[in-house]
Amino acid sequence: MTPRPESSGSRPKGTAGEKIPEQPTAAQQKSAAKKTAVPKQAAAKKAAPAKATAKKATAAKTTVGKTAAKKAATKKAAVEQPAAETATATAKKTTAKKSAVKKSAAKKATTVKATAAKTTAVKAAASKSTAADTVAGKAAAAKSPAAKTTAKKAPAKKAATAKSATATTTVAQAAAKKATPAKATAKKAAAKKTATAEKTATATSTVAESPAKKATAGKAPAGEAVAKKSAVKKAPARKAPARKIPAGRAPAGDAGSAQVVPPEMEVAVSPAVDAVDRERLLAGTHHAPHSVLGAHPVPGGIAFRALRPYALSVTVVSGELRAELHDDGEGFFSGLLPLREVPAYRLVVEYEGTVLETEDAYRFLPTLGDLDLHLIGEGRHEELWTALGAHPMTHEGVTGTRFAVWAPNARGVRVTGTFNFWDGTGHVMRSLGSSGVWELFLPDVGEGELYKFEITRPDGSKTLRADPLARRTEVPPATSSVITSSAYEWGDAEWLARRAEAPAHEAPFSVYEIHLPSWRPGLTYRQLAEQLPGYVKNLGFTHVELMPVAEHPFGGSWGYQVTGFYAPTARLGTPDDFRYLVDSLHRAGIGVLMDWVPAHFPRDDWALAEFDGRPLYEHEDPLRAAHPDWGTLEFDFGRNEVRNFLVANAVYWCEEFHIDGLRVDAVASMLYLDYSREPGQWTPNEHGGRENLDAVAFLQEMNATVYRRVPGVVTIAEESTAWDGVTRATHHKGPSGFGGLGFGLKWNMGWMHDSLQYMSHEPVHRKYHHGEMTFSMVYAYSENYVLPISHDEVVHGKRSLVSKMPGDWWQQRAGVRSYLGFMWAHPGKQLLFMGQEFAQGAEWSEAHGPDWWLLDPGYGAEPDHRGVRDLVRDLNTVYRATPALWRLDTDPAGFEWIVGDAADDNVLAFLRLDPEGVPVLAVSNFAPVTRQDYRLGVPDDVPAWHEALNTDAARYGGSDVINPDPVKPEPQSWHGHPASIRLTLPPLATVWLRPA
């Protein structure tokens, strides 16, 4: 290819053996000028190169109708061609056809400048494609090393060829540009429809300059372009800058160390993006943009293509090479460099008012490997968050961000964000095979940038979606995802090392449930870290349970309608801020549980619902997709990728944020196909049953994976039915034929409902409901239970815990104290929602949180509330120090009734035992009367008992009816025991006694 001429016009240096083509004679130029004056004439067939001896080609006659002198002339030009180029080709005569002159009033005044070779075959391509594109394309089709055709009309002539680098450029720049005679301008203006419309006068002079142009006598060597004169204005066309690469040509002299394509290489092709790819890229429906954009070896060298909307220019920079690409319109730029292989290069992109130098996003290999894609397809990628989403990284030595999203039904995906002004036209993602994953690495894009995915649905419509695996989001109600990476350094190694020493069901486990945004409204994660650990530690709780932390758009959902499953809510800070809170709790010796919601998700059109235009995360059957209670959508647990999304999410919170346990919400709604559905609204499973077999398999896999990967964690099921084996190992089949679900613990919803129902009755009526307090022991060892007084029990008109109690204010507080004492002594773990620890009278509201003012010393009833909180502290203190209250929670050997049928007295008494048989005696009197010398049977091997805790103590706000001295057994059998003791039972109180 012909190198770009130096601005000085000096002759390029030749090499040994090179021949400089002869310059056309004045007669030849005049003849060519006359021929080009006839408008709309089809290109004549080319004369093949002659044999060694020069032959004459008869030029087509052209009648212009001007003067007799011009009419007479058909000039014959013979150009001698070296015999070394081509062998035995016979000369052909070509006659140019004449076409009718169609004059347009609009085009009459148009100054038509000399255009580059443009064939009619390429007219229908892109309207902005350059002349050299078409010449190169036709030349390649004809398989000729010499220029064969011109755009409108080519004078038949013999092409001179040479082995020099200069001569090779004629492959892409057919010798077609003839100087236009001034007198032929008027007719030519009417003929060149496309050329005039596209303003090719300037473009062509830049794009493809022919050796056939007039050269300055004595200065211009063969192949060197000289500015042509316009026929009408007599002004030279603009000369291209030395660096500019027209379509189909490039400077060879600037390539530096890059290897230049030798002249004998095959015929060059057009580097411009073809019409089909162009349309798909602009529409955002191209599945393989990297196969089109970027740098690619093509016949003739390396084609560079870029899609940069709104750019004024794009320049390729590689070492000393600096070459400007041709502007193909609509944001496309292209050029052909005569190189052997793709060099390392960067792009300099000029926009209005700024110039940006960057890497080309379309020069990189995929950032995801076959193993990742295989595991995603199999639904076994346990670290899915490391493969999908947005990840700042260094790829092939370049820093940037890798974007990846699963959207198998999409026709195309583009990434859009603040880094491209929310216009994803230039950032088309590629589809990675049949995995359904789309990927793109964007150089120079880093943390803090906002982004979304622009997805073209199967019907061609578009939707803008937040990243399902975004690890950070905007603060709601904004919905964009945020690029992030963690730099947090943990300080909880000691906690993690010892948390696996004992399983949760054999360890003290007392949980304080909180809603972070409303515990102390307005505090951030880091501010909470300064207050929450100290408060919880002071009260003696072993764990906190956080209501859902994952991002959710509606605060009123309390976090149970999640859209950002991998992102802590941005309302309180960044993901690293949340890590700091967890770390602070661990360093205070407090475990962190988190509510996790895999049952359903909201229908927001920017989130998961019909993510790529069709049901994807939700079930394709509308009857199974819609959750009847909450207006949300249920996950399709039978789909590999969806199951993987959720299983990996459970692992993610435990590994990335050191969460010690997950309380899985709404398990019952997942297990039953007919949950909250009427007959006809659900379809039985393959066995004709109502069990959701896909959900069962998902829960088993989730539990097995979490316990295997993260030792010391616990999973807790909020399951309100009698499903068999919720906390049984997954490989142990029960009577129903199912293996266990594999949870560590299960909320005892039955105990919660029954016991609160009992406590809500007036004491005089409680004897008729006595079984509500004892029934829980019938099934207490069927699962590993947690006894929950959760947020669900103190909202929506259910009243707070203290307000559920009958009687006056004193009786209500006494009822709460006696109930908590009974709860802490009952087999199972304990959970108490915030605000109930100090007997808040109002229901909880996420808008303002607990009524902390009740603990203000200036408030008159402050001692009443502080007394209940002091009791909770002492309950936890004694509980943690007494293995009998927690060591055998799931073993019947750890419990023994003393009296469970004293309904008329409203009295319950039982023993709790540790593995060594050391007992604790718990006695509850739910009547508002003091019972003196109340006899209870006890083991005869305990010499004396003393009160470990009495909920009626004065410091708790009680009447201070206590047993201050040790109580010695009497050798009188009672309640089936060989000995008995006589106690004074305070009104509405629970008393714990242990061996003295």
Side-chain angles (χ1 to χ4, degrees), residues 57-77:
T58 305
K61 294 182 179 181
T62 305
T63 304
V64 181
K66 286 288 181 181
T67 62
K70 288 184 181 178
K71 268 187 186 175
T74 297
K75 305 283 184 180
K76 296 183 180 179

Side-chain angles (χ1 to χ4, degrees), residues 407-411 455-463 465 605 607-616 618:
N409 298 311
R411 291 178 57 189
I455 297 174
T456 302
R457 300 183 178 103
D459 64 1
S461 62
K462 298 187 183 301
T463 178
R465 298 290 176 137
D605 60 5
L608 297 183
E610 293 192 351
F611 183 75
D612 59 3
R614 290 179 181 165
L616 187 65
E618 66 271 37

Side-chain angles (χ1 to χ4, degrees), residues 512-515 518-519 832-837 840 844 849-850:
Y512 182 61
E513 185 189 25
I514 66 172
H515 178 251
S518 67
W519 185 71
L832 187 66
F833 183 60
M834 65 182 192
Q836 311 316 301
E837 78 273 16
Q840 173 178 312
W844 168 65

Side-chain angles (χ1 to χ4, degrees), residues 506-710:
E506 295 179 356
F509 197 89
S510 177
V511 183
Y512 182 61
E513 185 189 25
I514 66 172
H515 178 251
L516 283 178
S518 67
W519 185 71
R520 293 285 175 89
L523 298 188
T524 66
Y525 290 129
R526 289 187 178 268
Q527 291 169 335
L528 284 164
E530 302 304 318
Q531 299 187 30
L532 181 61
Y535 182 81
V536 176
K537 184 175 182 179
N538 177 263
L539 290 182
F541 287 99
T542 64
H543 292 73
V544 294
E545 180 176 315
L546 311 179
M547 292 170 66
V549 175
E551 192 60 89
H552 48 282
F554 176 48
S557 74
W558 312 332
Y560 289 97
Q561 296 192 8
V562 179
T563 51
F565 281 81
Y566 285 78
T569 180
R571 292 171 174 85
L572 307 181
T574 68
D576 276 356
D577 292 340
F578 179 62
R579 288 181 174 92
Y580 180 78
L581 172 60
V582 175
D583 199 5
S584 299
L585 287 163
H586 282 172
R587 284 185 274 117
I590 300 165
V592 182
L593 312 176
M594 188 186 82
D595 282 7
W596 185 54
V597 192
H600 62 117
F601 58 92
R603 297 174 180 265
D604 297 75
D605 60 5
W606 51 268
L608 297 183
E610 293 192 351
F611 183 75
D612 59 3
R614 290 179 181 165
L616 187 65
Y617 289 92
E618 66 271 37
H619 202 282
E620 62 183 359
D621 181 354
L623 292 179
R624 291 186 61 177
H627 197 293
D629 288 346
W630 302 307
T632 53
L633 296 170
E634 296 184 9
F635 282 102
D636 182 0
F637 302 110
R639 186 162 190 166
N640 287 347
E641 297 89 346
V642 175
R643 189 179 68 249
N644 192 177
F645 173 81
L646 294 171
V647 171
N649 186 238
V651 175
Y652 170 76
W653 288 104
C654 295
E655 292 190 352
E656 291 292 320
F657 294 94
H658 293 196
I659 298 297
D660 301 295
L662 300 173
R663 199 277 296 187
V664 183
D665 183 65
V667 172
S669 71
M670 302 164 64
L671 292 175
Y672 298 97
L673 295 171
D674 62 345
Y675 184 88
S676 289
R677 294 176 172 89
E678 299 297 328
Q681 296 181 342
W682 62 280
T683 303
N685 62 32
E686 60 193 56
H687 304 296
R690 65 192 187 111
E691 299 84 4
N692 188 338
L693 304 181
D694 293 335
V696 171
F698 156 67
L699 291 172
Q700 290 175 327
E701 181 183 345
M702 181 275 296
N703 282 309
T705 304
V706 168
Y707 280 111
R708 171 172 50 82
R709 288 186 61 107
V710 196

Side-chain angles (χ1 to χ4, degrees), residues 758 770 899-909 923-926 931 934 936 985:
Y758 174 87
H770 195 73
V899 56
D901 56 356
D904 290 341
D905 298 334
N906 295 351
V907 172
L908 294 166
V923 185
S924 295
N925 176 22
F926 293 116
R931 301 192 184 279
Y934 197 85
L936 295 169
L985 300 184

Side-chain angles (χ1 to χ4, degrees), residues 2 4-5 23-24 29 114-117 132 135 147 149-150 155 157 166 169-179 204-215 220-228 246 249:
T2 307
R4 176 71 61 187
Q23 298 297 316
Q29 293 172 355
T115 63
V135 173
T149 183
T150 60
K157 73 185 196 96
T166 300
T169 317
T170 59
V171 173
Q173 305 172 348
K177 291 194 174 182
K178 308 301 178 181
T204 308
S205 65
T206 302
V207 174
E209 296 171 351
S210 169
K213 293 181 183 179
K214 290 184 178 180
E224 180 173 350
V226 179
K228 296 186 293 182
R249 68 178 290 180

Side-chain angles (χ1 to χ4, degrees), residues 41-127:
Q41 286 190 331
K45 295 182 179 180
K46 306 299 171 199
K51 293 184 180 179
T53 57
K55 295 191 177 181
K56 303 250 182 181
T58 305
K61 294 182 179 181
T62 305
T63 304
V64 181
K66 286 288 181 181
T67 62
K70 288 184 181 178
K71 268 187 186 175
T74 297
K75 305 283 184 180
K76 296 183 180 179
V79 180
E80 186 172 296
Q81 179 166 329
E85 276 304 300
T86 52
T88 58
T90 57
K92 295 183 180 179
K93 293 185 178 181
T94 58
T95 306
K97 298 182 180 179
K98 299 180 181 180
S99 60
V101 178
K102 296 182 179 180
K103 293 188 177 182
S104 167
K107 293 185 179 180
K108 271 185 180 181
T110 305
T111 301
V112 181
K113 298 179 182 179
T115 63
K118 220 173 193 182
T119 62
T120 56
V122 189
K123 271 188 181 179
S127 62

